[in-house]
Each structure stands twice: as C-alpha cells, then as structure tokens.
Amino acid sequence: MRLAILVTTAVLGFSLPTLAEKVSEGKMKESLSKLVPESKVVKQDGDEFEVSTPKQTIVEVEFNRDGTVEEASGDAAVAGDVFTPGNNMITLQQAVDSLKKAGKNPKGDWSYKKSFTNGWVYEFEGVENGKDMEYAVSAKDGKIVKDNRDLL
C-alpha cells in the first residue's frame, strides 16, 4: 500500500497533505475586501460568503480550497453590485459598460465563472425588444462572447 502511495505521489507530483491544505478563513476574508471593496460579510457557509456592498446589494463569492475564486454572483449588476477579480481581469462594472456600449441591456442576475470554452466570463441576464436574453462577456478583454435569446 505504501509503495502505491509513493508511486502515485511521484507520478502525479503532489503529496496527500498538500491536497488537504486549505486556506484560512482570515485569508478568504482578506481576499473578499479586494474582490468586493468596502463590503461587509453578512453570511458565511464554509468557503461561500455573502457580502453587502456599499449600496446594500448582496454579492456571493465562493472560494476554492487554495483561496482562489471559484465563482461569484449577484442580482444587481446595474444597481450597485461590485466585483473586482484582479489578475488582469475586468471589473463587473467594466463588463456592464461593455454590454451597454454594444447596445445591450443587462438586467437581473450575473455571475463570474470559468467557462470551458471562453475562460473567465461574466454572464448576465438581459432584455431586448421585450425578450429575455443571456449575455457572456470575456473577463479578459470585455468582448461579448455570447448573445442569445433565453428560451426558458
């Protein structure tokens, strides 16, 4: 059994204790202060946090075990939500501005997550000509990568 663990560790390049390590709650809260400036934690469930923005909206942020962002979301992108991912990614406000500049009308829910095909993206709900829409904006450069009618 020990030999199997040693071989697995050597082949995969990690040790079991490394997988078990988790970033501290303090580090996650420190990251939150940068991701959602001037926010206040209102609820925490493990690695998931709900924070109140300066305009009293709620942004949810979920962390990976290593302290990086797994995803973030909210329901007031144009009415007060704030999110600043860092790592040379655009802010939530810049993503909203990119959509508006293209004549799009984001409303309601938004999320920030890693897409298999487009990397980190902001996804938005919106409305055009009375029809529900879904938009995705690249968090790297602000380009619209999805502009579809929401069929639900």
Side-chain angles (χ1 to χ4, degrees), residues 3-19:
L3 180 59
I5 291 173
L6 288 173
V7 170
T8 301
T9 300
V11 170
L12 297 177
F14 63 84
S15 64
L16 294 177
T18 302
L19 287 179

Side-chain angles (χ1 to χ4, degrees), residues 18-56:
T18 302
L19 287 179
E21 290 177 21
K22 183 177 182 300
V23 73
S24 71
E25 180 180 318
K27 290 284 186 187
M28 286 187 279
K29 286 183 177 178
E30 184 180 314
S31 291
L32 276 172
S33 69
K34 295 174 186 167
L35 295 167
V36 187
E38 302 177 45
S39 64
K40 179 180 175 185
V41 176
V42 294
K43 183 178 177 184
Q44 178 185 355
D45 183 10
D47 297 342
E48 298 177 29
F49 292 81
E50 287 184 13
V51 295
S52 177
T53 69
K55 291 193 177 180
Q56 306 303 308

Side-chain angles (χ1 to χ4, degrees), residues 22 28 48 54 70 80 83 93 96 106 121 124 134 150-151:
K22 183 177 182 300
M28 286 187 279
E48 298 177 29
E70 171 74 18
F83 185 71
Q93 185 60 53
V96 168
V121 295
F124 296 91
E134 293 179 344
D150 187 2
L151 299 176

